[in-house]
């Protein structure tokens, strides 16, 4: 009996609203372009001209406001230079020839910095995506509201900008989860939840040595070590570039263990240096001394969830003396035919 992961069904596209000539009769070649979906602080994104075949003042769309009103327009640029504009209050701006005399020749070179939503907390973005594109209101029928509220208090702020109508909902959710070090999944009771990685999380239970019905399968992940990490943040949308922060605080300490240097770059939509620094610490806490993944099976179908912390000795054979420590549950696979549960642990 195979249990389907409901996240795999979140394949509906996010940005589905298109610019049409009925609403915008002077839209010209911009007809059919996607109305971008945006959350949080967006830098230097394309402003799409809505009347290029019309006359001054020219109007430009920044993002789709079907579900959320734009919070603020922070700056507008013509070919990189600051421009004078009018905020129309509906996700669009206008620029007239009286404001910028050469605007008619620059209609495809307009970009803007704007705050797309009144919230930028990563978990709040996840909740809003699920409400708007999967019909999951934030109520106790669909969510573990208590656990998600905790995740909100722990989450970083981030952003999201989607201008491609092939981007699926699960991909948008993955992007946010990566930025906030979160796991978005359904609990055993069918409710959605979000958990933020927290190495100080309280333990959820204990597994005794006589519960094992298999020997440990130990997967050495030493090759996944990092001596440093680069976090890309504060994304420039049109240029597709970002600022970079490199955490080298653990470089020599890790080199002493693995005898070589290794770095990796992580692209994010995080808005600030502080966010990038915080994420780099999470990555290096795991990557400076990589722990084995230990898989082992127990009898029964206990209420154990991914990201739970359990006191156990999964690497000890049944005949050996236990060495109990706190492990994070990385994966849970239940076999309802045999009434067994295969668990993956990380110390």
């Amino acid at each position: 009996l195979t249990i389907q992961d409901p996240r795999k069904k979140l394949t509906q596209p996010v940005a589905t609203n298109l610019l049409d000539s009925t609403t915008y009769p002077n839209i010209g070649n911009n007809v059919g372009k996607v109305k971008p979906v945006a959350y949080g602080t967006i830098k230097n994104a394309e402003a799409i001209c809505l009347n290029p075949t019309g006359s001054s003042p020219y109007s430009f769309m920044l993002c789709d406001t079907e579900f959320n009103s734009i919070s603020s327009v922070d700056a507008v640029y013509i070919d990189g230079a600051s421009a004078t504009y009018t905020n129309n209050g509906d996700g669009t701006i206008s620029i007239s020839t009286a404001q910028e005399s050469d605007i008619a020749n620059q209609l495809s070179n307009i970009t803007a910095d704007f705050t797309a939503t009144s919230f930028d907390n990563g978990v709040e973005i996840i909740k809003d995506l699920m409400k708007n594109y999967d019909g999951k209101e934030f109520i106790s029928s669909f969510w573990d509201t208590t656990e998600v509220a905790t995740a909100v208090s722990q989450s970083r702020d981030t952003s999201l900008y989607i201008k491609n109508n092939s981007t699926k909902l699960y991909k948008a959710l993955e992007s946010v989860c990566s930025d906030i070090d979160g796991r978005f999944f359904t609990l055993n009771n069918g409710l959605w939840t979000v958990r933020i990685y927290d190495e100080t999380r309280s333990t959820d239970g204990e597994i005794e040595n006589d519960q094992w019905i298999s020997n440990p399968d130990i997967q050495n992940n030493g090759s996944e070590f990092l001596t440093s990490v680069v976090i890309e943040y504060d994304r420039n949308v049109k240029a597709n570039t970002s600022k970079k922060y490199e955490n080298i605080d653990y470089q020599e300490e890790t080199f002493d263990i693995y005898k070589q240097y290794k770095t990796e770059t992580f692209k994010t939509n995080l808005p600030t240096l502080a966010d990038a620094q915080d994420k780099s610490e999470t990555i290096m806490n795991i990557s400076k001394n990589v722990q084995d993944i230990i898989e082992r099976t127990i009898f029964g179908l206990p209420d154990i969830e991914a990201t739970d912390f359990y006191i156990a000795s999964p690497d000890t054979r049944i005949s050996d003396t236990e060495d109990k420590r706190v492990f994070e549950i990385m994966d849970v696979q239940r076999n309802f035919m045999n009434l067994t549960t295969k668990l993956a642990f990380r110390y």
Side-chain angles (χ1 to χ4, degrees), residues 23-39:
T23 308
Y24 308 103
N26 295 311
I27 197 168
N29 291 334
N30 287 335
V31 67
K33 279 193 172 183
V34 174
K35 296 181 180 180
V37 171
Y39 290 89

Side-chain angles (χ1 to χ4, degrees), residues 236-276:
N236 180 318
V237 174
K238 185 167 185 179
N240 195 26
T241 59
S242 300
K243 294 178 181 177
K244 296 181 179 182
Y245 167 74
E246 183 174 12
N247 185 336
I248 60 172
D249 291 349
Y250 308 94
Q251 196 169 63
E252 298 310 317
E253 171 188 339
T254 309
F255 179 83
D256 287 342
I257 298 172
Y258 296 99
K259 307 307 180 186
Q260 57 182 307
Y261 294 104
K262 182 182 177 185
T263 190
E264 188 171 339
T265 298
F266 290 79
K267 295 179 181 294
T268 78
N269 292 307
L270 296 170
T272 69
L273 173 60
D275 291 324

Side-chain angles (χ1 to χ4, degrees), residues 169-182:
L169 176 56
Y170 75 90
K171 282 294 185 183
L173 293 165
E174 282 180 0
S175 173
V176 178
C177 285
S178 176
D179 286 354
I180 66 175
D181 300 323

Side-chain angles (χ1 to χ4, degrees), residues 137-145 191:
E137 295 281 348
F138 188 64
I139 56 177
S140 58
S141 300
F142 298 129
W143 297 84
D144 185 321
T145 54
L191 297 178

Side-chain angles (χ1 to χ4, degrees), residues 31-63:
V31 67
K33 279 193 172 183
V34 174
K35 296 181 180 180
V37 171
Y39 290 89
T41 302
I42 308 301
K43 297 288 187 68
N44 201 40
E46 177 189 8
I48 306 170
C49 189
L50 301 174
N51 59 331
T53 62
S55 57
S56 175
Y58 294 97
S59 296
F60 301 84
M61 173 166 288
L62 304 184
C63 66

